[in-house]
């Protein structure tokens, strides 16, 4: 395990005042004012302006340090500025960064071979963002349905799960149940059927002769770290195999170490037909995503049918290969498991003291706060004031997904601060 965060900064944060340059509040507010004035308002960020980061810690423009317990929605699984990843990126920056797929580059081959090997599959379709990997899988599944399974032209359907989150494109929001993500963005793409998450019987009942695939998050992250029953994904595997339907696992957030395994599917001993990967695959440096599967599925794509100018670019491939090398040793996965157990125990100890439920898998936890106490947003704001960055989701749930390079002391610090925030909130009742 490479250690580079310089140990825990928890003590540092406890005593830290604003110790940056003069007029720190001015620097913070002018940076936020600029974003408010010139960037579209499609986010509602916490009022912290990060300027540097190392390992599990970020520093704001005033010099104040915070423990990053979001890790860019798991894109920074291996910590900010991981030396092996930065070295790979810097070396490639000096060689060549983009060729397009009109030509070969010498980085793509080693990357796709390493990733296919890590996943135990034949082939990789490289893309950039998570949503592009999902879109690519939708196209692949439909083409497979028509060309291999023999579904009638333009009739293919894909089964998705209630409460899903797979990204923000028009097609993807077409099968979301989140009205905020859909309102005023129609008309929507047809060809999707949604069933309750975790209900294998409902899934099987929804399959008909038009079904080409089932698209599932092995854990629903944005929905609040919802973990289905242990026998659910094995049942999905069994059902999809029996009906000759593809099992597509969106491991964009759950994969690549976060849950204490390379894939959450590994934790329940299931092998899907396609893995969708993104976020951490780019090491928090560049957007890198991929669809990974066997030749009988990925092989349906012919030259000219699908592509991306940046997909498979040499910089992304060099970083992606370094990410795969980190994962190949298994150390990150083991560390996430060990640290995750500690985080979960700490959070569970707050049950009844403002916490009503904790759901955890590896170093990933959804914590439901008593809605009578505060909104998730308010808890996040108070934690920020105490040096911990987390993000709320769905009202009063907050999620913890610190970089896997965080220390045990860092996690204890985060739990301690949550405990203090919850006591403060209880006292005002
Ligand atoms: C499970 C899952 N799929 C897809 C996406 C979309 O990824 P991106 O934001 O890179 O498009 C996300 C993003 O949060 C996700 O959590």
């Amino acid at each position: 395990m490479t250690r580079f965060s310089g140990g825990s900064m928890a003590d540092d944060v406890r005593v830290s005042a604003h110790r940056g340059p003069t007029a720190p509040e001015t620097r913070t507010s002018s940076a936020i004012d600029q974003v408010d004035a010139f960037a579209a308002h499609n986010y509602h960020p916490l009022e912290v302006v990060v300027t540097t980061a190392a390992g599990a810690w970020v520093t704001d423009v005033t010099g104040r340090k915070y423990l990053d317990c979001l890790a860019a929605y798991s894109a920074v699984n291996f910590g900010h500025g991981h030396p092996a990843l930065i070295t790979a990126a810097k070396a490639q920056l000096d060689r060549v960064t983009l060729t397009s797929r009109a030509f070969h580059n010498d980085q793509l081959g080693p990357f796709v071979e390493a990733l296919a090997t890590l996943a135990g599959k034949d082939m990789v379709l490289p893309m950039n963002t998570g949503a592009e990997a999902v879109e690519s899988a939708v196209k692949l599944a439909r083409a497979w349905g028509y060309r291999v399974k023999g579904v009638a032209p333009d009739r293919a359907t894909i089964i998705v799960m209630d409460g899903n989150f797979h990204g923000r494109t028009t097609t993807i929001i077409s099968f979301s149940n989140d009205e905020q993500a859909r309102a005023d963005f129609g008309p929507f793409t047809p060809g999707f059927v949604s069933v309750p998450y975790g209900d294998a019987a409902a899934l099987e009942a929804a399959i008909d002769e038009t079904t080409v695939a089932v698209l599932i998050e092995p854990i629903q992250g944005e929905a609040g770290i919802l973990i289905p029953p242990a026998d659910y994904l094995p049942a999905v595997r069994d059902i999809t195999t029996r009906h000759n339907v593809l099992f597509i696992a969106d491991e964009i957030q759950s994969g690549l170490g976060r849950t204490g395994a390379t894939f959450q599917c590994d934790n329940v001993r299931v092998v899907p037909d396609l893995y969708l990967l993104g976020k951490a695959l780019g090491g928090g440096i560049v957007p890198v995503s991929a669809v990974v599967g066997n030749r009988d599925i990925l092989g349906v794509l012919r030259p000219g049918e699908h592509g991306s100018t940046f997909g498979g670019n040499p910089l992304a491939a060099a970083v992606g290969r370094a990410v795969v090398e980190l994962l190949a040793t298994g150390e990150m996965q083991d560390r996430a498991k060990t640290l995750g157990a500690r985080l979960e125990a700490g959070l569970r100890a707050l049950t009844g003291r403002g916490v009503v439920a904790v759901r955890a898998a590896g170093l990933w936890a959804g914590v439901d706060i008593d809605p009578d106490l505060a909104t998730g947003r308010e808890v996040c704001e108070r934690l920020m004031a105490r040096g911990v960055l987390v993000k709320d989701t769905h009202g009063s749930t907050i999620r913890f997904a610190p970089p896997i390079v965080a220390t045990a002391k860092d996690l204890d610090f985060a739990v301690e601060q949550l405990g203090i925030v919850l006591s403060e909130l209880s006292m005002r009742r």
Side-chain angles (χ1 to χ4, degrees):
M1 159 87 232
T2 317
R3 287 179 205 282
F4 61 94
S5 62
S8 170
M9 294 189 213
D11 296 330
D12 204 16
V13 166
R14 258 185 218 114
V15 295
S16 95
H18 288 192
R19 52 195 152 161
T22 49
E25 291 306 341
T26 312
R27 291 191 65 196
T28 302
S29 36
S30 70
I32 293 174
D33 288 347
Q34 253 178 328
V35 171
D36 277 348
F38 296 107
H41 293 186
N42 55 331
Y43 278 91
H44 179 34
L46 290 177
E47 298 217 338
V48 56
V49 181
V50 173
T51 182
T52 58
W57 291 81
V58 302
T59 305
D60 76 6
V61 288
T62 73
R64 189 157 193 248
K65 289 182 165 37
Y66 304 80
L67 178 63
D68 179 0
C69 282
L70 181 65
Y73 303 95
S74 289
V76 188
N77 272 0
F78 316 115
H80 295 276
H82 190 290
L85 306 182
I86 294 292
T87 301
K90 282 188 173 163
Q92 193 56 39
L93 277 172
D94 286 335
R95 291 192 199 111
V96 58
T97 52
L98 185 61
T99 55
S100 84
R101 297 286 305 277
F103 314 124
H104 287 281
N105 69 69
D106 65 358
Q107 296 299 309
L108 180 57
F111 166 54
V112 289
E113 180 174 358
L115 182 56
T117 305
L118 181 79
K121 296 288 189 188
D122 298 338
M123 297 177 104
V124 171
L125 170 63
M127 299 297 285
N128 310 284
T129 65
E132 282 178 299
V134 176
E135 288 275 351
S136 302
V138 166
K139 289 171 73 177
L140 258 172
R142 287 176 172 182
W144 174 86
Y146 302 130
R147 295 173 190 173
V148 178
K149 186 172 176 178
V151 170
D154 279 342
R155 296 283 318 282
T157 53
I158 294 175
I159 299 175
V160 298
M161 300 298 134
D162 294 351
N164 69 72
F165 183 86
H166 297 284
R168 297 292 194 169
T169 64
T170 325
T171 288
I172 293 172
I173 61 164
S174 297
F175 53 84
S176 164
N177 319 112
D178 179 354
E179 272 317 308
Q180 207 190 354
R182 289 163 53 93
D184 294 335
F185 296 136
F188 298 113
T189 310
F192 300 95
V193 175
S194 189
V195 298
Y197 187 56
D199 184 342
L203 166 65
E204 184 154 24
I207 293 178
D208 65 19
E209 72 287 352
T210 67
T211 311
V212 294
V214 175
L215 171 61
I216 297 191
E217 295 159 86
I219 289 176
Q220 287 191 333
E222 295 307 298
I225 327 294
L226 299 190
I227 306 170
D231 59 358
Y232 177 61
L233 293 176
V236 172
R237 177 67 283 181
D238 173 58
I239 292 165
T240 49
T241 302
R242 280 193 283 109
H243 292 274
N244 191 24
V245 164
L246 301 181
F247 177 175
I248 306 173
D250 180 345
E251 295 254 16
I252 288 165
Q253 200 165 163
S254 58
L256 307 182
R258 174 54 56 194
T259 64
T262 303
F263 306 112
Q264 169 58 14
C265 284
D266 295 344
N267 281 331
V268 289
R269 295 195 171 74
V270 152
V271 179
D273 296 302
L274 296 176
Y275 290 106
L276 309 187
L277 304 175
K279 296 194 192 283
L281 193 56
I285 300 173
V286 278
V288 187
S289 68
V291 181
V292 187
N294 282 342
R295 193 170 307 278
D296 56 340
I297 307 164
L298 267 72
V300 302
L301 284 182
R302 299 180 287 236
E305 290 184 340
H306 188 61
S308 156
T309 304
F310 281 85
N313 73 73
L315 178 60
V319 173
R321 178 154 59 113
V323 164
V324 172
E325 279 166 11
L326 274 185
L327 287 165
T329 68
E331 285 175 52
M332 285 289 176
Q333 296 88 322
D334 290 347
R335 189 177 171 86
K337 192 180 287 180
T338 311
L339 285 177
R342 188 180 183 107
L343 177 67
E344 182 180 354
L347 293 170
R348 282 199 192 286
L350 298 175
T351 311
R353 293 167 49 200
V355 166
V356 291
V358 176
R359 295 168 297 279
L363 196 49
W364 202 19
V367 180
D368 294 342
I369 304 294
D370 178 354
D372 292 337
L373 204 58
T375 61
R377 174 81 186 188
E378 186 174 4
V379 173
C380 292
E381 282 166 355
R382 284 174 176 258
L383 278 171
M384 182 183 79
R386 306 195 67 84
V388 177
L389 297 180
V390 287
K391 181 77 177 79
D392 56 308
T393 182
H394 293 283
S396 53
T397 299
I398 54 176
R399 77 305 265 298
F400 284 82
I404 299 168
V405 296
T407 63
K409 203 173 167 195
D410 292 338
L411 301 181
D412 294 349
F413 170 69
V415 171
E416 187 190 338
Q417 300 314 304
L418 178 61
I420 295 171
V421 164
L422 294 174
S423 321
E424 285 170 0
L425 288 165
S426 317
M427 281 188 308
R428 78 170 181 186
R429 279 215 278 198

